[in-house]
PDB file of all heavy atoms in Angstrom:
ATOM      1  N   CYS A 198      14.370 -32.153  22.018  1.00 88.00           N
ATOM      2  CA  CYS A 198      12.937 -32.465  22.284  1.00 88.00           C
ATOM      3  C   CYS A 198      12.499 -31.872  23.607  1.00 88.00           C
ATOM      4  O   CYS A 198      11.254 -31.799  23.809  1.00 88.00           O
ATOM      5  CB  CYS A 198      12.714 -33.934  22.327  1.00 88.00           C
ATOM      6  SG  CYS A 198      12.743 -34.640  20.664  1.00 88.00           S
ATOM      7  N   GLY A 199      13.398 -31.376  24.458  1.00 87.00           N
ATOM      8  CA  GLY A 199      12.984 -30.682  25.749  1.00 87.00           C
ATOM      9  C   GLY A 199      12.710 -29.209  25.515  1.00 87.00           C
ATOM     10  O   GLY A 199      11.688 -28.688  25.869  1.00 87.00           O
ATOM     11  N   PRO A 200      13.726 -28.481  24.931  1.00 89.00           N
ATOM     12  CA  PRO A 200      13.466 -27.015  24.776  1.00 89.00           C
ATOM     13  C   PRO A 200      12.381 -26.696  23.727  1.00 89.00           C
ATOM     14  O   PRO A 200      11.808 -25.574  23.864  1.00 89.00           O
ATOM     15  CB  PRO A 200      14.870 -26.541  24.205  1.00 89.00           C
ATOM     16  CG  PRO A 200      15.852 -27.584  24.654  1.00 89.00           C
ATOM     17  CD  PRO A 200      15.105 -28.878  24.641  1.00 89.00           C
ATOM     18  N   VAL A 201      12.175 -27.568  22.754  1.00 91.00           N
ATOM     19  CA  VAL A 201      11.163 -27.183  21.677  1.00 91.00           C
ATOM     20  C   VAL A 201       9.757 -27.067  22.260  1.00 91.00           C
ATOM     21  O   VAL A 201       9.076 -26.058  21.996  1.00 91.00           O
ATOM     22  CB  VAL A 201      11.205 -28.242  20.588  1.00 91.00           C
ATOM     23  CG1 VAL A 201       9.985 -28.169  19.660  1.00 91.00           C
ATOM     24  CG2 VAL A 201      12.430 -28.083  19.745  1.00 91.00           C
ATOM     25  N   PRO A 202       9.250 -27.935  23.086  1.00 90.00           N
ATOM     26  CA  PRO A 202       7.898 -27.743  23.731  1.00 90.00           C
ATOM     27  C   PRO A 202       7.917 -26.485  24.617  1.00 90.00           C
ATOM     28  O   PRO A 202       6.884 -25.779  24.621  1.00 90.00           O
ATOM     29  CB  PRO A 202       7.742 -28.993  24.521  1.00 90.00           C
ATOM     30  CG  PRO A 202       8.540 -30.026  23.943  1.00 90.00           C
ATOM     31  CD  PRO A 202       9.738 -29.335  23.374  1.00 90.00           C
ATOM     32  N   LEU A 203       9.023 -26.155  25.231  1.00 89.00           N
ATOM     33  CA  LEU A 203       9.048 -25.002  26.112  1.00 89.00           C
ATOM     34  C   LEU A 203       8.865 -23.762  25.221  1.00 89.00           C
ATOM     35  O   LEU A 203       8.216 -22.749  25.570  1.00 89.00           O
ATOM     36  CB  LEU A 203      10.380 -24.931  26.848  1.00 89.00           C
ATOM     37  CG  LEU A 203      10.683 -23.738  27.711  1.00 89.00           C
ATOM     38  CD1 LEU A 203       9.699 -23.618  28.809  1.00 89.00           C
ATOM     39  CD2 LEU A 203      12.008 -23.769  28.288  1.00 89.00           C
ATOM     40  N   GLU A 204       9.586 -23.784  23.988  1.00 89.00           N
ATOM     41  CA  GLU A 204       9.468 -22.619  23.153  1.00 89.00           C
ATOM     42  C   GLU A 204       8.091 -22.504  22.487  1.00 89.00           C
ATOM     43  O   GLU A 204       7.576 -21.429  22.217  1.00 89.00           O
ATOM     44  CB  GLU A 204      10.520 -22.793  22.041  1.00 89.00           C
ATOM     45  CG  GLU A 204      10.863 -21.583  21.333  1.00 89.00           C
ATOM     46  CD  GLU A 204      12.122 -21.717  20.453  1.00 89.00           C
ATOM     47  OE1 GLU A 204      13.143 -22.120  20.949  1.00 89.00           O
ATOM     48  OE2 GLU A 204      11.982 -21.481  19.195  1.00 89.00           O
ATOM     49  N   LEU A 205       7.397 -23.681  22.254  1.00 88.00           N
ATOM     50  CA  LEU A 205       6.091 -23.692  21.585  1.00 88.00           C
ATOM     51  C   LEU A 205       5.015 -23.251  22.569  1.00 88.00           C
ATOM     52  O   LEU A 205       4.095 -22.436  22.165  1.00 88.00           O
ATOM     53  CB  LEU A 205       5.778 -25.019  21.111  1.00 88.00           C
ATOM     54  CG  LEU A 205       6.406 -25.496  19.794  1.00 88.00           C
ATOM     55  CD1 LEU A 205       6.062 -26.968  19.538  1.00 88.00           C
ATOM     56  CD2 LEU A 205       5.834 -24.652  18.603  1.00 88.00           C
ATOM     57  N   ALA A 206       5.032 -23.747  23.813  1.00 86.00           N
ATOM     58  CA  ALA A 206       3.888 -23.626  24.743  1.00 86.00           C
ATOM     59  C   ALA A 206       4.168 -22.729  25.918  1.00 86.00           C
ATOM     60  O   ALA A 206       3.183 -22.404  26.633  1.00 86.00           O
ATOM     61  CB  ALA A 206       3.355 -25.028  25.170  1.00 86.00           C
ATOM     62  N   GLY A 207       5.325 -22.292  26.158  1.00 84.00           N
ATOM     63  CA  GLY A 207       5.627 -21.513  27.300  1.00 84.00           C
ATOM     64  C   GLY A 207       5.941 -22.364  28.551  1.00 84.00           C
ATOM     65  O   GLY A 207       5.729 -23.575  28.526  1.00 84.00           O
ATOM     66  N   LYS A 208       6.486 -21.700  29.612  1.00 85.00           N
ATOM     67  CA  LYS A 208       6.884 -22.418  30.768  1.00 85.00           C
ATOM     68  C   LYS A 208       5.713 -23.116  31.493  1.00 85.00           C
ATOM     69  O   LYS A 208       5.932 -24.239  31.953  1.00 85.00           O
ATOM     70  CB  LYS A 208       7.571 -21.453  31.686  1.00 85.00           C
ATOM     71  CG  LYS A 208       8.191 -22.148  32.934  1.00 85.00           C
ATOM     72  CD  LYS A 208       9.054 -21.125  33.706  1.00 85.00           C
ATOM     73  CE  LYS A 208       8.181 -19.956  34.283  1.00 85.00           C
ATOM     74  NZ  LYS A 208       8.977 -19.104  35.204  1.00 85.00           N
ATOM     75  N   ASP A 209       4.587 -22.467  31.482  1.00 82.00           N
ATOM     76  CA  ASP A 209       3.350 -23.089  32.243  1.00 82.00           C
ATOM     77  C   ASP A 209       2.890 -24.442  31.666  1.00 82.00           C
ATOM     78  O   ASP A 209       2.486 -25.284  32.335  1.00 82.00           O
ATOM     79  CB  ASP A 209       2.298 -22.037  32.366  1.00 82.00           C
ATOM     80  CG  ASP A 209       2.656 -20.892  33.099  1.00 82.00           C
ATOM     81  OD1 ASP A 209       3.537 -21.055  34.045  1.00 82.00           O
ATOM     82  OD2 ASP A 209       2.069 -19.800  32.995  1.00 82.00           O
ATOM     83  N   ARG A 210       2.943 -24.487  30.316  1.00 83.00           N
ATOM     84  CA  ARG A 210       2.378 -25.701  29.585  1.00 83.00           C
ATOM     85  C   ARG A 210       3.406 -26.599  28.906  1.00 83.00           C
ATOM     86  O   ARG A 210       3.161 -27.409  28.101  1.00 83.00           O
ATOM     87  CB  ARG A 210       1.326 -25.298  28.598  1.00 83.00           C
ATOM     88  CG  ARG A 210       0.110 -24.671  29.283  1.00 83.00           C
ATOM     89  CD  ARG A 210      -1.077 -24.589  28.282  1.00 83.00           C
ATOM     90  NE  ARG A 210      -0.788 -23.757  27.084  1.00 83.00           N
ATOM     91  CZ  ARG A 210      -1.571 -23.629  26.060  1.00 83.00           C
ATOM     92  NH1 ARG A 210      -2.728 -24.379  25.992  1.00 83.00           N
ATOM     93  NH2 ARG A 210      -1.212 -22.935  25.082  1.00 83.00           N
ATOM     94  N   ALA A 211       4.747 -26.354  29.239  1.00 85.00           N
ATOM     95  CA  ALA A 211       5.757 -27.065  28.536  1.00 85.00           C
ATOM     96  C   ALA A 211       5.731 -28.548  28.845  1.00 85.00           C
ATOM     97  O   ALA A 211       5.846 -29.366  27.996  1.00 85.00           O
ATOM     98  CB  ALA A 211       7.167 -26.523  29.005  1.00 85.00           C
ATOM     99  N   GLY A 212       5.370 -28.937  30.064  1.00 84.00           N
ATOM    100  CA  GLY A 212       5.269 -30.367  30.444  1.00 84.00           C
ATOM    101  C   GLY A 212       4.148 -31.037  29.679  1.00 84.00           C
ATOM    102  O   GLY A 212       4.341 -32.120  29.140  1.00 84.00           O
ATOM    103  N   GLN A 213       2.977 -30.367  29.520  1.00 84.00           N
ATOM    104  CA  GLN A 213       1.905 -30.921  28.785  1.00 84.00           C
ATOM    105  C   GLN A 213       2.221 -31.007  27.315  1.00 84.00           C
ATOM    106  O   GLN A 213       1.951 -32.031  26.692  1.00 84.00           O
ATOM    107  CB  GLN A 213       0.623 -30.087  28.984  1.00 84.00           C
ATOM    108  CG  GLN A 213       0.097 -30.117  30.401  1.00 84.00           C
ATOM    109  CD  GLN A 213      -1.014 -29.037  30.596  1.00 84.00           C
ATOM    110  OE1 GLN A 213      -1.210 -28.138  29.844  1.00 84.00           O
ATOM    111  NE2 GLN A 213      -1.779 -29.260  31.621  1.00 84.00           N
ATOM    112  N   ALA A 214       2.923 -30.029  26.800  1.00 86.00           N
ATOM    113  CA  ALA A 214       3.247 -30.053  25.408  1.00 86.00           C
ATOM    114  C   ALA A 214       4.243 -31.144  25.112  1.00 86.00           C
ATOM    115  O   ALA A 214       4.112 -31.962  24.123  1.00 86.00           O
ATOM    116  CB  ALA A 214       3.924 -28.691  24.977  1.00 86.00           C
ATOM    117  N   TYR A 215       5.163 -31.368  26.004  1.00 87.00           N
ATOM    118  CA  TYR A 215       6.209 -32.482  25.825  1.00 87.00           C
ATOM    119  C   TYR A 215       5.431 -33.826  25.771  1.00 87.00           C
ATOM    120  O   TYR A 215       5.715 -34.683  25.017  1.00 87.00           O
ATOM    121  CB  TYR A 215       7.271 -32.411  26.951  1.00 87.00           C
ATOM    122  CG  TYR A 215       8.246 -33.566  26.857  1.00 87.00           C
ATOM    123  CD1 TYR A 215       9.372 -33.372  25.997  1.00 87.00           C
ATOM    124  CD2 TYR A 215       8.097 -34.735  27.575  1.00 87.00           C
ATOM    125  CE1 TYR A 215      10.329 -34.403  25.944  1.00 87.00           C
ATOM    126  CE2 TYR A 215       9.023 -35.768  27.493  1.00 87.00           C
ATOM    127  CZ  TYR A 215      10.152 -35.569  26.652  1.00 87.00           C
ATOM    128  OH  TYR A 215      11.040 -36.637  26.607  1.00 87.00           O
ATOM    129  N   ALA A 216       4.553 -34.007  26.766  1.00 86.00           N
ATOM    130  CA  ALA A 216       3.832 -35.248  26.883  1.00 86.00           C
ATOM    131  C   ALA A 216       3.002 -35.552  25.614  1.00 86.00           C
ATOM    132  O   ALA A 216       2.958 -36.693  25.058  1.00 86.00           O
ATOM    133  CB  ALA A 216       2.889 -35.275  28.129  1.00 86.00           C
ATOM    134  N   GLN A 217       2.283 -34.528  25.176  1.00 86.00           N
ATOM    135  CA  GLN A 217       1.511 -34.656  23.980  1.00 86.00           C
ATOM    136  C   GLN A 217       2.330 -34.979  22.692  1.00 86.00           C
ATOM    137  O   GLN A 217       1.912 -35.751  21.883  1.00 86.00           O
ATOM    138  CB  GLN A 217       0.631 -33.415  23.720  1.00 86.00           C
ATOM    139  CG  GLN A 217      -0.369 -33.144  24.879  1.00 86.00           C
ATOM    140  CD  GLN A 217      -1.423 -34.177  25.030  1.00 86.00           C
ATOM    141  OE1 GLN A 217      -1.779 -34.892  24.051  1.00 86.00           O
ATOM    142  NE2 GLN A 217      -1.991 -34.385  26.191  1.00 86.00           N
ATOM    143  N   LEU A 218       3.403 -34.292  22.567  1.00 88.00           N
ATOM    144  CA  LEU A 218       4.298 -34.548  21.443  1.00 88.00           C
ATOM    145  C   LEU A 218       4.860 -35.971  21.472  1.00 88.00           C
ATOM    146  O   LEU A 218       4.975 -36.630  20.447  1.00 88.00           O
ATOM    147  CB  LEU A 218       5.424 -33.515  21.393  1.00 88.00           C
ATOM    148  CG  LEU A 218       4.997 -32.113  20.958  1.00 88.00           C
ATOM    149  CD1 LEU A 218       6.187 -31.099  21.080  1.00 88.00           C
ATOM    150  CD2 LEU A 218       4.475 -32.023  19.510  1.00 88.00           C
ATOM    151  N   TYR A 219       5.206 -36.356  22.644  1.00 88.00           N
ATOM    152  CA  TYR A 219       5.793 -37.743  22.760  1.00 88.00           C
ATOM    153  C   TYR A 219       4.693 -38.796  22.471  1.00 88.00           C
ATOM    154  O   TYR A 219       4.987 -39.791  21.773  1.00 88.00           O
ATOM    155  CB  TYR A 219       6.274 -37.977  24.183  1.00 88.00           C
ATOM    156  CG  TYR A 219       7.034 -39.241  24.359  1.00 88.00           C
ATOM    157  CD1 TYR A 219       8.397 -39.325  24.011  1.00 88.00           C
ATOM    158  CD2 TYR A 219       6.389 -40.371  24.912  1.00 88.00           C
ATOM    159  CE1 TYR A 219       9.064 -40.560  24.175  1.00 88.00           C
ATOM    160  CE2 TYR A 219       7.034 -41.560  25.027  1.00 88.00           C
ATOM    161  CZ  TYR A 219       8.443 -41.668  24.683  1.00 88.00           C
ATOM    162  OH  TYR A 219       9.088 -42.880  24.930  1.00 88.00           O
ATOM    163  N   PHE A 220       3.453 -38.453  22.900  1.00 86.00           N
ATOM    164  CA  PHE A 220       2.393 -39.345  22.599  1.00 86.00           C
ATOM    165  C   PHE A 220       2.151 -39.469  21.077  1.00 86.00           C
ATOM    166  O   PHE A 220       1.902 -40.588  20.546  1.00 86.00           O
ATOM    167  CB  PHE A 220       1.114 -38.870  23.305  1.00 86.00           C
ATOM    168  CG  PHE A 220      -0.179 -39.516  22.786  1.00 86.00           C
ATOM    169  CD1 PHE A 220      -0.509 -40.788  23.117  1.00 86.00           C
ATOM    170  CD2 PHE A 220      -1.062 -38.808  21.982  1.00 86.00           C
ATOM    171  CE1 PHE A 220      -1.624 -41.394  22.615  1.00 86.00           C
ATOM    172  CE2 PHE A 220      -2.206 -39.405  21.572  1.00 86.00           C
ATOM    173  CZ  PHE A 220      -2.538 -40.671  21.833  1.00 86.00           C
ATOM    174  N   LEU A 221       2.169 -38.290  20.442  1.00 84.00           N
ATOM    175  CA  LEU A 221       1.997 -38.334  18.983  1.00 84.00           C
ATOM    176  C   LEU A 221       3.060 -39.092  18.196  1.00 84.00           C
ATOM    177  O   LEU A 221       2.920 -39.812  17.292  1.00 84.00           O
ATOM    178  CB  LEU A 221       1.939 -36.835  18.427  1.00 84.00           C
ATOM    179  CG  LEU A 221       0.696 -36.052  18.778  1.00 84.00           C
ATOM    180  CD1 LEU A 221       0.827 -34.618  18.403  1.00 84.00           C
ATOM    181  CD2 LEU A 221      -0.570 -36.689  18.148  1.00 84.00           C
TER     182      LEU A 221
END
Side-chain angles (χ1 to χ4, degrees):
C198 287
V201 167
L203 179 64
E204 202 170 301
L205 279 173
K208 185 171 65 174
D209 294 335
R210 296 196 297 171
Q213 294 172 341
Y215 178 85
Q217 297 295 334
L218 288 173
Y219 188 83
F220 166 72
L221 289 173

